[in-house]
Amino acid sequence: MKTKKNALYVLFALILTGLISCNHGFDDCTNTIYIKNNSAKSIYAVSTLKKDFFNFNPTNENYKDDFMIEPGETIKVKIGIKLQCWEQTLEQTGGYVYIYVYDAEYLENPDVRWEDAQKNHIKLYTLNVNDLRDMKWEVKYP
């Protein structure tokens, strides 16, 4: 009976330790940044952890729903790594998330190539954890 009780205590201690360490030592652990379009036009918001690094075209039909924001709408940008948070990710990758905002009409113009459009954003946010906390994890454009 005592062995079962001790095993239960050990199991409880392991579970508690696992729950406490899930945020890897961060007091807060936020896994979502919200981007809200307060403008009258549709936009694309593309986030990256490395400045000017884009490995896809956000207007591609496979990605469009994740990056296009209609006026008055909000999208969520989540960390794709399980049990990781923005605080931890930004600490490990240089400290900043870069959010590029593009005019949807411009990007969707068939004569505009994504390779050429990348540098023609209408707004660039360079944000660290403190900036995001101050914004309550919601980036509002404009």
Side-chain angles (χ1 to χ4, degrees):
M1 180 75 158
K2 194 172 187 176
T3 305
K4 286 183 182 179
K5 193 174 183 180
N6 286 342
L8 218 87
Y9 284 132
V10 170
L11 180 61
F12 178 73
L14 288 171
I15 290 170
L16 187 59
T17 302
L19 290 174
I20 291 169
S21 65
C22 273
N23 68 2
H24 304 284
F26 290 89
D27 293 335
D28 298 317
C29 191
T30 308
N31 68 358
T32 305
I33 296 173
Y34 299 90
I35 305 174
K36 182 169 183 162
N37 180 3
N38 287 330
S39 75
K41 296 181 79 176
S42 298
I43 61 170
Y44 280 85
V46 181
S47 62
T48 181
L49 296 171
K50 185 176 178 186
K51 191 171 185 179
D52 297 327
F53 177 76
F54 306 100
N55 59 354
F56 62 91
N57 178 343
T59 63
N60 179 307
E61 289 301 319
N62 295 326
Y63 305 117
K64 187 175 183 175
D65 290 341
D66 296 328
F67 300 102
M68 184 179 192
I69 314 172
E70 297 291 344
E73 290 189 353
T74 302
I75 63 167
K76 297 177 184 179
V77 180
K78 292 186 173 254
I79 289 292
I81 303 165
K82 191 173 182 179
L83 296 178
Q84 198 159 26
C85 52
W86 276 105
E87 293 87 347
Q88 178 184 10
T89 300
L90 293 178
E91 179 183 273
Q92 294 173 350
T93 60
Y96 293 95
V97 61
Y98 303 92
I99 300 172
Y100 295 81
V101 178
Y102 296 92
D103 178 277
E105 192 174 309
Y106 166 71
L107 275 191
E108 292 175 352
N109 180 333
D111 296 330
V112 175
R113 294 177 349 129
W114 170 239
E115 294 76 22
D116 300 327
Q118 290 178 16
K119 299 246 186 239
N120 289 325
H121 51 270
I122 53 178
K123 176 81 176 174
L124 168 61
Y125 296 91
T126 303
L127 305 168
N128 62 30
V129 170
N130 291 331
D131 298 327
L132 290 162
R133 282 186 186 131
D134 290 346
M135 302 167 107
K136 296 182 178 22
W137 299 90
E138 184 176 48
V139 178
K140 297 175 183 173
Y141 173 80

